[in-house]
Amino acid sequence: MQPLEFFKQAILTPSPSGYEEPIQKLIGEYLKPHSDDVSVDVHGNLSARVGKAGGPKLMLAGHCDQIGMLISHIDEQGFLYAQTIGGWDPQQLIGQAMTVWTTDGPVSAVISRKPIHLLSQAERGEVVKLEQMWLDIGAKDGDDAKSKVRIGDCVTLNLAYRELLGDLVSGPGMDNKTGMWTVIETARRCATSDQALQCELHSVATVQEEIGLRGAKTAAGRIQPDVAIAVDVTHASDCPTIDKQQQGDIKIGGGPVIFRGPNINAKVATRLMQLADDNDIPYQPAALGRAAPNDSNALQVSGSGVATGLVAIPNRYMHSAVETISLGDIEAIAKLLTLFAQSLTPECDFIPG
């Protein structure tokens, strides 16, 4: 399977937090020919090891989980009610095509609310609440629905991969199957390169980032890296209503976003930017003055501390059915991470100062 085809298949594979087995199976099958070792830990993190055993340990983390829903109730009429997995804006769910992922396979569903014609004047001015929406699978009654769907089955938006103009693509789950793809692609490139690594690279598709950075904590605890880089999406500000003064000037297609700030080891950030400059990789500097809301947060404070970097993919319309990214951006990040891994030697020092 070619890298772009693998990316497409990843976007079309369900992976709500806690339900990542299907995508980890896809990743494992893709990577086995290109890795010294592919393993899945008890938490569900998939790790691919490449390079020199005993060299400095580099962990690349891209979470493979996506936001979703979880069936919590089936009523007598056969309508389904669900909790959210991760951070949803309920407005994004109104009128969406959905899929319930059962042990017997996918079940198509729609999610909606009372039609606007039937809303009172007061209801029309209110923000819809999750409990005012339901999933309809077309069941005749509750028994019919329960014969198809179980409490605890996960739900996603209808998964799709849409090509827009240029190299832009759109669909649910770009957060963060894009970041996952970059770290997995880095492992593949390092494994097939003529340049032998002097570091021990662990590329990890982490789990449960969307519900508290949980997989990164357990994966780092097992690997005990010396250096780590998290790859996730960040908000592109090159579209209407986004305040560049607050979010920075981040353009989709503008290249990797390299962060600086207290969550970031200064020497890791400097090395990433220097490698980008030396190899004509356009990049976008960004500032983050607090603990990051992504895997870099957990990585930095793992064990006795890890020299941590954060690289991000510009993403429009995050946590929606139409998340949009540039294929050129993820290609540039895979190139940058490969160069970073190839540059590491036992002599590298990331102690501040």
Side-chain angles (χ1 to χ4, degrees):
M1 187 186 302
Q2 294 300 309
L4 181 57
E5 180 58 30
F6 165 63
F7 177 62
K8 291 179 181 178
Q9 289 303 313
I11 294 297
L12 297 174
T13 301
S15 63
S17 305
Y19 294 80
E20 298 96 345
E21 294 96 330
I23 196 163
Q24 298 294 47
K25 182 174 185 289
L26 173 72
I27 297 167
E29 291 174 350
Y30 175 70
L31 258 189
K32 279 180 182 176
H34 308 297
S35 175
D36 299 330
D37 178 65
V38 176
S39 61
V40 178
D41 64 26
V42 71
H43 199 172
N45 300 295
L46 182 145
S47 178
R49 179 174 55 81
V50 178
K52 183 180 179 181
K57 287 185 181 179
L58 169 62
M59 177 177 165
L60 302 179
H63 75 86
C64 69
D65 59 309
Q66 64 188 117
I67 61 172
M69 303 183 79
L70 192 66
I71 300 299
S72 56
H73 177 65
I74 302 172
D75 71 16
E76 293 181 356
Q77 293 175 281
F79 296 109
L80 316 180
Y81 295 83
Q83 304 172 12
T84 55
I85 299 175
W88 278 101
D89 172 3
Q91 313 305 304
Q92 295 282 353
L93 290 167
I94 299 171
Q96 291 285 358
M98 310 293 286
T99 304
V100 184
W101 300 94
T102 78
T103 53
D104 296 322
V107 174
S108 295
V110 294
I111 187 169
S112 198
R113 63 179 296 194
K114 185 165 61 174
I116 190 170
H117 317 69
L118 306 180
L119 294 177
S120 68
Q121 202 62 38
E123 287 174 324
R124 292 187 186 195
E126 295 174 351
V127 174
V128 68
K129 298 180 176 64
L130 184 68
E131 55 266 28
Q132 295 171 319
M133 289 183 280
W134 57 88
L135 290 150
D136 188 345
I137 61 172
K140 296 176 183 177
D141 53 32
D143 289 338
D144 187 24
K146 290 174 184 177
S147 72
K148 308 291 193 305
V149 175
R150 297 167 58 200
I151 302 298
D153 284 341
C154 67
V155 185
T156 66
L157 292 159
N158 189 37
L159 301 179
Y161 181 94
R162 302 177 186 87
E163 295 181 350
L164 305 181
L165 295 177
D167 72 348
L168 302 194
V169 293
S170 176
M174 296 296 173
D175 176 9
N176 180 43
K177 293 171 187 178
T178 50
M180 176 278 292
W181 182 89
T182 66
V183 305
I184 297 305
E185 177 63 6
T186 298
R188 187 193 70 80
R189 293 184 186 195
C190 288
T192 57
S193 172
D194 293 334
Q195 182 175 338
L197 292 181
Q198 297 187 59
C199 71
E200 183 178 306
L201 169 63
H202 296 261
S203 285
V204 186
T206 59
V207 298
Q208 297 186 26
E209 188 270 355
E210 296 289 359
I211 59 168
L213 321 179
R214 296 161 62 84
K217 295 176 185 177
T218 55
R222 179 173 63 86
I223 294 168
Q224 297 183 332
D226 301 298
V227 187
I229 298 173
V231 186
D232 209 325
V233 292
T234 191
H235 299 285
S237 60
D238 60 345
C239 60
T241 74
I242 307 297
D243 186 354
K244 292 181 175 63
Q245 288 183 322
Q246 295 298 316
Q247 297 298 326
D249 189 6
I250 305 299
K251 297 180 176 65
I252 196 168
V257 179
I258 302 175
F259 279 89
R260 298 178 66 204
N263 198 155
I264 310 303
N265 179 280
K267 291 185 177 180
V268 172
T270 297
R271 179 178 288 251
L272 285 166
M273 289 186 280
Q274 189 63 57
L275 286 167
D277 286 334
D278 292 346
N279 292 275
D280 298 322
I281 301 173
Y283 68 92
Q284 306 179 78
L288 183 64
R290 57 188 172 88
N294 55 48
D295 281 347
S296 66
N297 183 330
L299 292 172
Q300 186 192 38
V301 295
S302 175
S304 57
V306 178
T308 299
L310 174 59
V311 179
I313 300 116
N315 181 15
R316 292 178 186 158
Y317 324 125
M318 203 180 299
H319 284 200
S320 78
V322 293
E323 293 185 327
T324 300
I325 62 98
S326 159
L327 293 176
D329 286 339
I330 63 172
E331 165 64 26
I333 291 175
K335 180 179 179 181
L336 179 60
L337 295 180
T338 300
L339 290 166
F340 187 94
Q342 292 172 340
S343 76
L344 282 187
T345 70
E347 290 73 37
C348 290
D349 178 12
F350 293 99
I351 301 295

